[in-house]
């Protein structure tokens, strides 16, 4: 008799929650972004690195948006993180910004993660009511990653000092890379949005990230800021100490699009 | 108190089948309801007292096209406009409390600034470009000389954060407004809550700017064939010349096509910066040294002229098009027709054109007390 009651209770519960969580197996992925420069940990301001052109430099700021995240299965099908939950601003001086959790991920195995570096053109032209959280141009968090004079978000910012950079008005030798532009609203501009895919393992063939209701899934992605100088189009700080709204910004975007790699993943039963 | 132990005892022992069944069902229903609550985010219990706003009677002038701004996403209310106006005239939007929006956009000059060639801001700093007037922004496709801002709602962020204008950060401004007791009733009236958000702040300023419709110049009354409306003979001749020579760019009822063009201004040798105009936004070579075609409404009052404020009088401006244009790779084709650079205009024709431009002055707009500080 008691078993019958339990069955009835279960049926009522199932009916109540059909469309939400009970019948769909989901899990969460704890994401973290770890910053390096040419394979060494990124330390702001104090550590000197050297690019392949032989120029020494330090980094004072390394911030970027990650958006439109998709988890791709081995068969090519994918889970797309809901749009409104898919914007993250990673800041090198704010450890809490470097980790976030994707919830509601359908259970299963995933082979690759895909995301955009920057803010897509639709959200870049959206009504102010759809610019919340890290996209709020009035928030101190977003401050510095939004161009108020050229409506749009800065996809990625790298700043620092280098003896190779020319002396600026303050006597400092600074470099600044502020890469934005999403293709334009009413007329064409450069489009510096880049979508990257990272295999979820050491090699594409063996990559696998398991997600499920009883799993604690962790994924670490490495972002190597050194690639900004030494990507497909290597350049010297001396030649391009400041890149913002110029055609060369496309090369910088192509370079940093290669900076992401798989760190490690784990899926532990809980 | 007695009922509670009994309830739990019944739950723990389940001696009576009927009680158990009832318990299970009621627990299930309760869970079902709570489950529904957690799934839907609209299940918010109303705690604010009901508030009402008064719709602002915004009207499109009969001789104007449909507005570009989507008024349905920010319905104008009397309360929202009043809040926007308060913010427009509030110097605390600037870093040191010295500069209001109206500092550069004076209602008496059709919301332009006539004392300086270029904008100036906190600590007597100077900008790079001439302050444009504010009117008919509901028809603006883009804003600023280079069209860098594509949405009226996002416009105020630029002057607020520009270090040579108001020099403040948006987050500081929002905090200052939130702390100010003056704004609490204004936000409450406009939004039913005194919480300051980026969206409310920006959209209320938009609301005030959207009310600045200028469409009652002598020219407007003339084209709408209103009783007693007429143009002077000179202005009438000027209108014919305007349509033949100028309306290709200063097109339609707005007197601008909203496009970016190069009008052959010679480089100023002592200019502070090499202002590449639209190309600074798009990074496209074709956009180098092009600037947005400005409206000519109220142009008599919005001197100086051109993006760098180099001309003081309308006569100088018209003479530039007749005799001052310098050829360059970006020169607009409309100013280089049949191999001739510039427009063919005699001195008398230039004078008539100026008279026509003066007929675009909307005194009712400029003196409208609704736009002026209290």
């Amino acid at each position: 008799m008691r078993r019958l009651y339990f069955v009835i209770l279960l049926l009522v519960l199932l009916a109540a929650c059909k469309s939400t969580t009970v019948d769909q197996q989901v899990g969460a992925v704890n994401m973290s972004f770890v910053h390096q420069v040419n394979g060494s940990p990124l330390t702001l301001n104090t550590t000197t690195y050297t690019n392949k052109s032989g120029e020494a430099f330090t980094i004072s700021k390394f911030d970027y948006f990650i958006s439109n995240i998709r988890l791709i299965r081995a068969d090519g099908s994918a889970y797309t993180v809901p749009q409104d939950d898919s914007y993250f601003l990673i800041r090198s001086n704010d450890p809490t910004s470097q980790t976030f959790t994707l919830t509601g991920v359908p259970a299963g195995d995933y082979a690759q993660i895909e995301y955009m570096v920057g803010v897509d053109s639709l959200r870049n032209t959206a009504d102010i009511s759809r610019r919340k959280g890290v996209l709020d141009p009035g928030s101190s968090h977003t401050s510095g990653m939004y161009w108020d004079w050229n409506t749009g978000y800065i996809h990625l910012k790298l700043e620092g000092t280098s003896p190779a950079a020319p002396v600026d008005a303050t006597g400092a030798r600074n470099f600044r890379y502020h890469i934005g532009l999403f293709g334009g609203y009413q007329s064409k501009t450069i489009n510096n949005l880049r979508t990257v895919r990272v295999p979820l393992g050491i090699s594409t063939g063996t990559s696998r990230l398991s997600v499920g209701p009883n799993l604690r899934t962790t994924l670490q992605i490495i972002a190597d800021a050194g690639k900004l100088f030494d990507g497909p189009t290597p350049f010297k700080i001396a030649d391009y100490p400041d890149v913002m709204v110029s055609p060369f910004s496309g090369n910088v975007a192509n370079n940093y699009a290669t900076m992401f790699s798989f760190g490690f993943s784990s899926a532990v039963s809980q | 108190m007695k009922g509670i132990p009994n309830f739990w005892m019944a739950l723990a022992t389940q001696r009576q089948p009927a009680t158990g069944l009832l318990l299970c069902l009621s627990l299930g229903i309760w869970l079902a309801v709570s489950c529904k609550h957690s799934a839907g985010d609209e299940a918010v219990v109303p705690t604010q007292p009901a508030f009402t706003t008064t719709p602002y009677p915004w009207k499109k002038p009969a001789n104007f096209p449909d507005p570009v701004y989507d008024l349905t996403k920010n319905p104008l209310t009397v309360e929202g406009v009043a809040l926007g106006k308060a913010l427009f005239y509030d110097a605390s939007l600037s870093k040191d409390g010295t500069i209001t929006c109206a500092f550069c956009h004076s209602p008496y000059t059709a919301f332009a600034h006539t004392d300086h060639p270029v904008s100036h801001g906190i600590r007597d700093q100077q900008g790079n470009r001439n302050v444009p007037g504010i009117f008919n922004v509901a028809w603006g496709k883009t804003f600023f000389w280079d069209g860098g801002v594509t949405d009226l709602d996002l416009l105020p962020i630029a002057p607020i954060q520009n270090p040579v204008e108001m020099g403040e950060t948006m987050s500081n401004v929002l905090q200052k407004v939130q702390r100010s007791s003056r704004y609490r009733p204004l936000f409450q009236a406009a939004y039913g809550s005194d919480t300051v958000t980026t969206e409310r702040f920006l959209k209320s300023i938009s609301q005030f700017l959207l009310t600045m419709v200028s469409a009652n110049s002598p020219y407007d009354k003339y084209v709408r064939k209103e009783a007693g409306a007429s143009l002077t003979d000179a202005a009438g001749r000027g209108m014919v010349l305007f349509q033949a020579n100028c309306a290709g760019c200063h097109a339609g009822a707005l007197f601008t096509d909203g496009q970016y063009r190069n009008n052959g201004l010679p480089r100023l040798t002592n200019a502070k910066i090499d202002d590449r105009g639209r190309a600074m936004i798009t990074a496209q070579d074709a956009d180098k040294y092009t600037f947005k075609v400005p409206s000519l409404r109220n142009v008599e009052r919005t001197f100086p002229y051109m993006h760098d404020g180099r001309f003081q009088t309308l006569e100088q401006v018209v003479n530039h098009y007749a005799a001052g244009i310098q050829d360059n790779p970006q020169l607009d084709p409309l100013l280089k027709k049949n191999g001739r650079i510039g427009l063919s205009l005699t001195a008398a024709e230039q004078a008539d054109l100026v008279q026509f431009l003066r007929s675009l002055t909307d005194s009712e707009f400029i003196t409208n007390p609704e736009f002026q500080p209290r």
Side-chain angles (χ1 to χ4, degrees), chain A residues 1-2 5-6 8-9 12-13 16-17 20-21 124-132 136-140 143-144 146 148-152 181-182 185-190 245-247, chain B residues 13-14 17-18 20-21 24-25 27-29 31-32 35 39 73 141-142 144 146 148-151 153-154 157-158 161 170-171 174 198-199 202-203 260 278-284 287:
Chain A
M1 202 59 172
R2 208 173 289 173
Y5 299 151
F6 182 69
I8 291 169
L9 171 64
V12 172
L13 269 176
C17 293
T20 55
T21 48
N124 245 309
T125 53
D127 185 77
I128 185 68
S129 61
R130 299 199 62 210
R131 299 164 182 259
K132 304 288 189 199
D136 181 351
S139 129
S140 58
S143 175
Y146 175 78
D148 49 47
W149 53 274
N150 188 357
T151 307
L181 299 182
F182 55 88
Y185 186 39
Q186 285 133 331
S187 60
K188 193 181 158 216
T189 69
I190 289 176
V245 188
S246 70
Chain B
T13 55
Q14 294 190 6
L21 180 63
C24 270
L25 272 173
L27 183 62
I29 289 163
L31 277 170
C35 182
K73 69 170 189 173
K141 296 184 191 107
T142 61
F144 298 140
D146 54 23
V149 172
T150 51
D151 183 342
D153 295 341
L154 300 171
I157 308 172
Q161 299 198 147
M170 270 298 289
S171 53
L174 295 177
T198 308
E199 182 184 357
L202 293 173
K203 284 193 169 172
Y260 308 90
R278 179 69 177 158
M280 294 172 89
I281 300 300
T282 64
Q284 304 284 315
D287 295 328

Side-chain angles (χ1 to χ4, degrees), chain A:
Chain A
M1 202 59 172
R2 208 173 289 173
R3 197 165 289 169
L4 177 65
Y5 299 151
F6 182 69
V7 170
I8 291 169
L9 171 64
L10 207 69
L11 282 172
V12 172
L13 269 176
L14 274 175
C17 293
K18 193 174 191 297
S19 62
T20 55
T21 48
V22 172
D23 65 337
Q24 196 185 18
Q25 296 277 300
V26 295
V29 180
N30 298 303
M31 302 268 309
S32 67
F33 283 79
V34 170
H35 295 155
Q36 298 184 347
V37 184
N38 304 330
S40 306
L42 167 64
T43 314
L44 292 178
N45 302 313
T46 50
T47 303
T48 300
Y49 307 95
T50 308
N51 63 23
K52 285 187 180 152
S53 305
E55 298 171 315
F57 64 92
T58 65
I59 290 176
S60 57
K61 180 175 281 200
F62 179 49
D63 298 349
Y64 51 93
F65 279 104
I66 294 294
S67 71
N68 293 277
I69 301 170
R70 296 169 75 222
L71 289 165
I72 302 165
R73 301 177 187 91
D75 65 4
S77 66
Y79 165 68
T80 303
V81 175
Q83 262 279 311
D84 284 353
D85 304 327
S86 203
Y87 294 89
F88 301 95
L89 175 55
I90 317 283
R91 289 185 182 275
S92 53
N93 67 348
D94 177 9
T96 60
S97 74
Q98 294 156 21
T99 61
F100 55 86
T101 302
L102 302 176
T103 56
V105 180
D109 289 348
Y110 296 90
Q112 289 178 294
I113 187 169
E114 182 189 272
Y115 48 84
M116 196 176 267
V117 189
V119 176
D120 56 281
S121 58
L122 274 179
R123 195 65 62 140
N124 245 309
T125 53
D127 185 77
I128 185 68
S129 61
R130 299 199 62 210
R131 299 164 182 259
K132 304 288 189 199
V134 295
L135 299 178
D136 181 351
S139 129
S140 58
H141 191 64
T142 309
S143 175
M145 293 300 275
Y146 175 78
W147 274 329
D148 49 47
W149 53 274
N150 188 357
T151 307
Y153 297 92
I154 296 174
H155 306 320
L156 178 142
K157 218 176 212 190
L158 180 78
E159 294 180 1
T161 63
S162 170
V167 180
D168 68 15
T170 66
R173 293 179 182 274
N174 294 323
F175 60 78
R176 295 180 301 175
Y177 305 102
H178 298 179
I179 310 301
L181 299 182
F182 55 88
Y185 186 39
Q186 285 133 331
S187 60
K188 193 181 158 216
T189 69
I190 289 176
N191 187 343
N192 286 327
L193 286 167
R194 296 292 181 270
T195 299
V196 301
R197 275 191 187 195
V198 179
L200 299 172
I202 303 302
S203 70
T204 317
T206 62
S207 65
R208 197 187 74 162
L209 183 76
S210 298
V211 179
N214 302 315
L215 291 174
R216 182 205 296 272
T217 304
T218 305
L219 169 63
Q220 186 200 73
I221 302 280
I222 296 168
D224 193 317
K227 281 284 198 296
L228 188 134
F229 300 115
D230 296 314
T233 310
F235 67 90
K236 288 184 180 176
I237 296 170
D239 294 339
Y240 297 96
D242 287 284
V243 182
M244 291 172 198
V245 188
S246 70
F248 193 78
S249 61
N251 292 330
V252 179
N254 288 341
N255 280 357
Y256 68 62
T258 66
M259 74 180 178
F260 298 99
S261 61
F262 173 77
F264 74 84
S265 70
S266 65
V268 183
S269 294
Q270 57 177 10

Side-chain angles (χ1 to χ4, degrees), chain B residues 70-321:
Chain B
D70 180 1
L71 290 154
T72 63
K73 69 170 189 173
N74 185 17
L76 267 56
T77 64
V78 170
E79 294 81 2
V81 170
L83 170 58
K85 181 176 170 180
L87 292 167
F88 189 83
Y89 286 104
D90 187 346
S92 76
L93 268 57
S94 65
K95 181 91 186 162
D96 60 4
T98 59
I99 308 283
T100 66
C101 301
F103 180 86
C104 281
H105 298 285
S106 160
Y108 313 109
T109 55
F111 295 97
H113 196 93
T114 53
D115 290 347
H116 307 265
V118 293
S119 64
H120 62 161
I122 57 167
R123 297 193 302 275
D124 288 330
Q125 295 178 96
Q126 298 221 345
N128 296 317
R129 291 180 185 152
N130 182 10
V131 177
I134 304 177
F135 44 82
N136 302 337
V137 291
W139 291 269
K141 296 184 191 107
T142 61
F143 302 92
F144 298 140
W145 283 102
D146 54 23
V149 172
T150 51
D151 183 342
L152 180 67
D153 295 341
L154 300 171
L155 187 150
I157 308 172
I160 286 171
Q161 299 198 147
N162 189 329
V164 299
E165 293 184 26
M166 298 168 105
E168 187 49 290
T169 66
M170 270 298 289
S171 53
N172 276 353
V173 168
L174 295 177
Q175 277 177 34
K176 282 194 266 187
V177 172
Q178 183 72 73
R179 279 199 303 264
S180 158
S181 57
R182 178 188 166 208
Y183 281 106
R184 256 170 236 143
L186 295 175
F187 273 84
Q188 185 72 44
Y191 297 106
S193 148
D194 62 10
T195 304
V196 179
T197 67
T198 308
E199 182 184 357
R200 288 172 177 174
F201 175 89
L202 293 173
K203 284 193 169 172
S204 59
I205 295 178
S206 288
Q207 290 201 18
F208 178 53
L209 302 185
L210 287 162
T211 64
M212 297 177 185
V213 176
S214 176
N216 286 324
S217 67
Y219 164 81
D220 289 293
K221 293 177 179 182
Y222 172 77
V223 295
R224 289 197 297 255
K225 300 186 167 59
E226 289 180 14
S230 66
L231 294 180
T232 64
D233 289 350
R237 289 192 302 271
M239 185 171 74
V240 175
L241 289 164
F242 184 86
Q243 281 159 353
N245 290 285
C246 316
C249 306
H250 297 284
L254 280 309
F255 286 86
T256 172
D257 61 359
Q259 296 303 303
Y260 308 90
R261 299 171 185 273
N262 178 288
N263 64 349
L265 291 170
R267 277 287 300 280
L268 292 178
T269 47
N270 54 354
K272 204 166 69 176
I273 62 156
D274 177 28
D275 192 343
R276 290 174 293 116
R278 179 69 177 158
M280 294 172 89
I281 300 300
T282 64
Q284 304 284 315
D285 279 350
D287 295 328
K288 271 187 186 170
Y289 304 106
T290 67
F291 295 87
K292 194 165 65 188
V293 175
S295 173
L296 298 180
R297 289 182 167 277
N298 302 305
V299 71
E300 178 188 17
R301 300 295 184 90
T302 60
F303 63 90
Y305 305 111
M306 303 299 162
H307 67 276
D308 51 13
R310 69 176 67 191
F311 297 135
Q312 291 295 314
T313 68
L314 287 174
E315 285 78 7
Q316 286 175 308
V317 171
V318 173
N319 187 253
H320 163 75
Y321 286 100

